[in-house]
Amino acid sequence: MSRKISIAIVLIALAGLLGFGAWTVLFKPSDQPPEGFARGNGRIEADLIDISPRLAGRVADISVNEGDLVKSDDVMAVMDTAELRAQLTRSDAAVASAEAMVGVAEARVAEARARLAQAQSEQARAETLSERDVLSRQNLDVKRTETQLAEAGLAAAAASKVAQERAVEAEIAVRTEIAARIEDATLYASSSARVLYRLAQPGEIIGSGGKILTLINLEDVYMEFFLPATEAPFLRIGDEARIVADIMPDRAIPAVVTFVSPQAQFTPKQVETLTERESLMFRIRVRIPPELVAARQDQVKTGVRGVAWVRLARTDGSLPDWPDGLTPPLTALPPAEPAPPAGS
């Protein structure tokens, strides 16, 4: 009998423990942010930049490798331009030929102008002789016709000169286009970035728009997260924000709100929030100041998870003060490690 009582006591104790555990999980108050603040989970991200040639061709050289840091206007790759340079040489010759034809046209204009002057002089003399009845009416008509022909010849020569000048402009335009293609064959970085992928090698044929490199843009590092419809309307573009990365939980990185979605949406499945997934959410983007990123480019890593904190405006438009744990120093990232001494 005593054995049955002992078993019953043990079962009752286990049931009590299980009940307490269930109550703790289901009914324990969640860790909510302080009043006037909101937060959301996200990842530190940066836009990707594809380095691609405008025209199809052979890759002549790639000057960077995966992981390299590059600055704006650094040369990334060069496409082969042997064929284009041959076309440029031919175009230079065409421009020179067209300019020579303009010289010929100018000479023809001068010749036609001289003929017109001669015809006008002879017509004037014929008009005088005709008035004195020295020259017949028929010969006067001949001189007048010769003057008209000279005028038409001058007009034709002038039109031919204009046509040749337009031909020069057309050839120069062709040469400019070829030169632009040669210039486009050198691919530059458009911003400070890190090389993520090297997708081609020298000697390969790349189609127009084909990817040679993929860079991570370090001038626009941000985190996106979601806020419920009850909080997002109190957030404004330009408001201060804080990012606490999982790998640095004791440091708050300053950020600025750069985007608040104007349209609500259902929370994406990959985003974890403290509210139900079915509730309507607004996508928010906070950006880390570029000068802070530039000072610590070697330490910036995308894909790092963390929490973004924002302040919600009160009814009077004021904002609460940041708690001590979310007040970052001027340089929120840890100091860069000094380079090892040479030979170490």
Side-chain angles (χ1 to χ4, degrees):
M1 189 69 176
S2 60
R3 183 177 180 182
K4 293 181 179 181
I5 294 174
S6 299
I7 294 174
I9 293 173
V10 171
L11 291 176
I12 292 173
L14 289 174
L17 290 174
L18 291 175
F20 178 79
W23 179 88
T24 301
V25 172
L26 297 177
F27 301 103
K28 182 180 179 180
S30 59
D31 183 17
Q32 296 294 332
E35 183 179 356
F37 291 86
R39 65 185 177 187
N41 296 329
R43 294 182 302 176
I44 295 178
E45 302 178 65
D47 293 333
L48 300 182
I49 303 174
D50 292 326
I51 302 298
S52 306
R54 188 170 67 89
L55 301 173
R58 185 185 303 276
V59 179
D61 181 58
I62 300 176
S63 55
V64 294
N65 295 306
E66 293 182 353
D68 287 352
L69 280 171
V70 298
K71 301 186 298 296
S72 178
D73 295 331
D74 281 354
V75 176
M76 301 285 95
V78 178
M79 304 295 293
D80 182 71
T81 58
E83 183 178 354
L84 288 174
R85 294 190 181 281
Q87 294 177 8
L88 182 63
T89 300
R90 183 173 60 188
S91 181
D92 287 338
V95 171
S97 177
E99 290 174 344
M101 293 303 297
V102 171
V104 173
E106 289 176 346
R108 289 175 179 172
V109 169
E111 180 182 0
R113 187 175 289 112
R115 288 180 178 177
L116 176 60
Q118 181 181 2
Q120 289 173 339
S121 176
E122 291 180 355
Q123 179 185 348
R125 189 180 304 110
E127 295 284 355
T128 302
L129 294 176
S130 177
E131 291 176 356
R132 297 177 182 176
D133 294 329
V134 176
L135 187 68
S136 66
R137 184 74 179 179
Q138 181 180 2
N139 289 334
L140 177 61
D141 291 340
V142 170
K143 295 302 181 182
R144 289 175 177 174
T145 302
E146 290 178 352
T147 300
Q148 293 174 354
L149 291 175
E151 290 175 348
L154 178 59
S160 177
K161 176 187 174 184
V162 171
Q164 292 299 331
E165 290 173 344
R166 297 297 177 268
V168 171
E169 294 175 359
E171 294 296 344
I172 291 176
V174 172
R175 182 177 63 184
T176 302
E177 180 182 358
I178 296 173
R181 292 179 180 179
I182 293 175
E183 184 176 353
D184 287 343
T186 302
L187 308 179
Y188 300 90
S190 59
S191 63
S192 297
R194 185 180 293 276
V195 180
L196 181 61
Y197 300 121
R198 178 167 165 164
L199 303 172
Q201 299 298 331
E204 293 185 15
I205 302 296
I206 301 297
S208 176
K211 299 178 183 178
I212 297 178
L213 299 164
T214 298
L215 311 181
I216 297 177
N217 182 12
L218 296 181
E219 292 186 358
D220 189 11
V221 180
Y222 58 88
M223 176 180 285
E224 287 189 347
F225 61 102
F226 289 80
L227 288 181
T230 56
E231 297 176 343
F234 299 98
L235 196 62
R236 300 165 299 188
I237 293 178
D239 284 350
E240 292 184 11
R242 302 288 187 264
I243 295 176
V244 180
D246 291 349
I247 60 175
M248 295 188 301
D250 58 336
R251 293 180 181 271
I253 304 173
V256 178
V257 177
T258 58
F259 177 78
V260 178
S261 176
Q263 182 178 9
Q265 65 185 82
F266 288 104
T267 310
K269 292 182 179 180
Q270 70 270 20
V271 177
E272 299 175 1
T273 63
L274 299 177
T275 57
E276 299 81 0
R277 292 194 181 278
E278 292 75 18
S279 61
L280 289 174
M281 309 291 286
F282 286 81
R283 181 166 60 92
I284 312 296
R285 174 180 290 190
V286 295
R287 182 188 184 192
I288 301 176
E291 59 273 13
L292 179 58
V293 176
R296 296 292 185 270
Q297 286 186 349
D298 292 339
Q299 300 170 270
V300 175
K301 301 292 185 293
T302 59
V304 174
R305 297 183 179 275
V307 177
W309 289 79
V310 292
R311 297 184 294 182
L312 305 178
R314 301 188 181 99
T315 54
D316 60 357
S318 62
L319 295 170
D321 294 330
W322 288 103
D324 292 340
L326 295 176
T327 305
L330 293 178
T331 304
L333 297 179
E337 297 181 1
S344 60

